[in-house]
Amino acid sequence: MPLLDSAPREAASTASEAPARAEDPLRGLWTRYETRGEGEPLRFWYFHGDGKGLYRYGKVGLANTHSFDYSVEPAGRHVGVSLQFRKRGDAHALTAVLEQDARGQTFMTLRGDPYEPGARYRKVESDLDGFEPPARSQPDQASGIGDRLWIDYRNLATGGAEFHMYQLAATAIDGRGVGWFHRGDFDNWSTESLTYRIIGDRIELFFDVREEPNSTAFHVNDGDHGRTLVLAQDPRDFWATHAYRDGGRSFGGPAFARVVGSPAWPAPDAQDGRSPELNP
């Protein structure tokens, strides 16, 4: 269940982050539902501890994510929360009521919850807390299309930006793998799980929750600005030809940083917003 940060983050020292984390009683991930099966309900709040957070809702395998900025004013088990969603600008003044049961589990109820009034969320351990991309001693070696992030990111003439991404895990020996498709921008995006299989010059894509099978020819181009994956009939672009840049193996790694706003990459073509070598 991948999560996107609003931008690649620089590593920070433990000492500099410790005070902010100690002062934020909401820091961490709070889940609404215990079940994790494909297609089952999904709701959670994630407070990063540095004034940034995520709200995700939908089903396991098909969900939407909103990012927000927030501040807290702790007062015992009641925590005042000022929160503003980045995309829409909606602002909310909430009160987080924290409780602990006999087993030591911590629960949160948000008075004024803009999505599910009265919902109760349990705090869970998350590997998102304190995550920093691992350092790489050698350049990222690209091989095939699996174990890669493929992204079409562009700035819009009307303002803002958008991306389409295929995040594909490494394939097994039979050419099968799992992945996700992301669409939106870094303030509001959707995530859809999928399985895929490579057969020669074709890729089969099966979107899990919708139970939707697709198949398309593909090829990979090597150019001056890196590799691009071209889907002849992209099922997430109404079966049009669509090209995606190789964004590397990690959302937070150096390769992904190059994808987003790097001046080393050519500016979008003035006519249609695509980089020239990506035009079908």
Side-chain angles (χ1 to χ4, degrees):
M1 183 177 61
L3 293 178
L4 297 175
D5 286 330
S6 58
R9 295 188 288 118
E10 298 294 333
S13 68
T14 303
S16 64
E17 289 189 353
R21 291 180 176 177
E23 294 169 2
D24 187 349
L26 300 186
R27 183 177 180 272
L29 190 146
W30 303 80
T31 183
R32 172 79 168 91
Y33 299 103
E34 302 297 325
T35 54
R36 305 295 302 151
E38 198 77 37
E40 295 185 333
L42 171 69
R43 301 281 192 282
F44 71 69
W45 292 89
Y46 177 68
F47 297 89
H48 187 263
D50 60 356
K52 297 178 174 60
L54 304 172
Y55 176 73
R56 176 167 288 183
Y57 63 97
K59 295 182 177 182
V60 176
L62 182 58
N64 202 45
T65 303
H66 294 174
S67 65
F68 58 83
D69 299 308
Y70 75 98
S71 61
V72 296
E73 295 182 6
R77 68 186 188 96
H78 290 187
V79 181
V81 185
S82 297
L83 181 150
Q84 184 172 34
F85 289 99
R86 289 184 173 186
K87 182 73 172 182
R88 297 177 180 175
D90 298 345
H92 302 274
L94 313 174
T95 299
V97 180
L98 304 181
E99 303 172 287
Q100 201 167 59
D101 66 10
R103 295 183 296 173
Q105 294 183 322
T106 304
F107 294 85
M108 174 185 73
T109 303
L110 291 175
R111 293 176 180 169
D113 188 329
Y115 289 102
E116 288 190 279
R120 195 168 183 241
Y121 300 84
R122 182 173 68 89
K123 189 172 186 179
V124 297
E125 294 296 327
S126 167
D127 58 4
L128 297 171
D129 296 339
F131 170 80
E132 293 293 348
R136 298 179 185 178
S137 57
Q138 298 179 350
D140 189 13
Q141 298 297 319
S143 176
I145 70 171
D147 195 22
R148 314 299 295 172
L149 176 76
W150 300 94
I151 178 170
D152 176 13
Y153 176 94
R154 65 186 69 193
N155 295 314
L156 303 177
T158 54
E162 68 177 8
F163 58 70
H164 291 193
M165 306 188 207
Y166 280 97
Q167 182 186 5
L168 303 178
T171 57
I173 193 171
D174 63 354
R176 298 175 188 270
V178 299
W180 297 268
F181 176 75
H182 311 279
R183 174 165 37 206
D185 57 38
F186 288 103
D187 297 321
N188 190 342
W189 70 92
S190 63
T191 299
E192 187 173 13
S193 67
L194 59 92
T195 55
Y196 74 100
R197 182 172 64 159
I198 303 295
I199 308 175
D201 63 353
R202 298 191 67 82
I203 180 172
E204 294 180 347
L205 294 160
F206 183 82
F207 295 93
D208 301 325
V209 174
R210 292 189 170 112
E211 299 184 349
E212 177 191 332
N214 294 272
S215 177
T216 178
F218 78 94
H219 64 274
V220 176
N221 292 332
D222 288 295
D224 294 338
H225 302 286
R227 302 196 309 158
T228 58
L229 168 66
V230 181
L231 300 182
Q233 294 178 306
D234 184 357
R236 286 302 173 261
D237 191 11
F238 301 94
W239 301 275
T241 301
H242 202 135
Y244 297 82
R245 295 182 188 271
D246 185 347
R249 298 179 61 185
S250 168
F251 284 118
F256 185 65
R258 288 198 298 271
V259 170
V260 183
S262 171
W265 284 27
D269 186 276
Q271 293 181 348
D272 60 4
R274 291 178 183 264
S275 298
E277 72 276 14
L278 296 189
N279 281 327

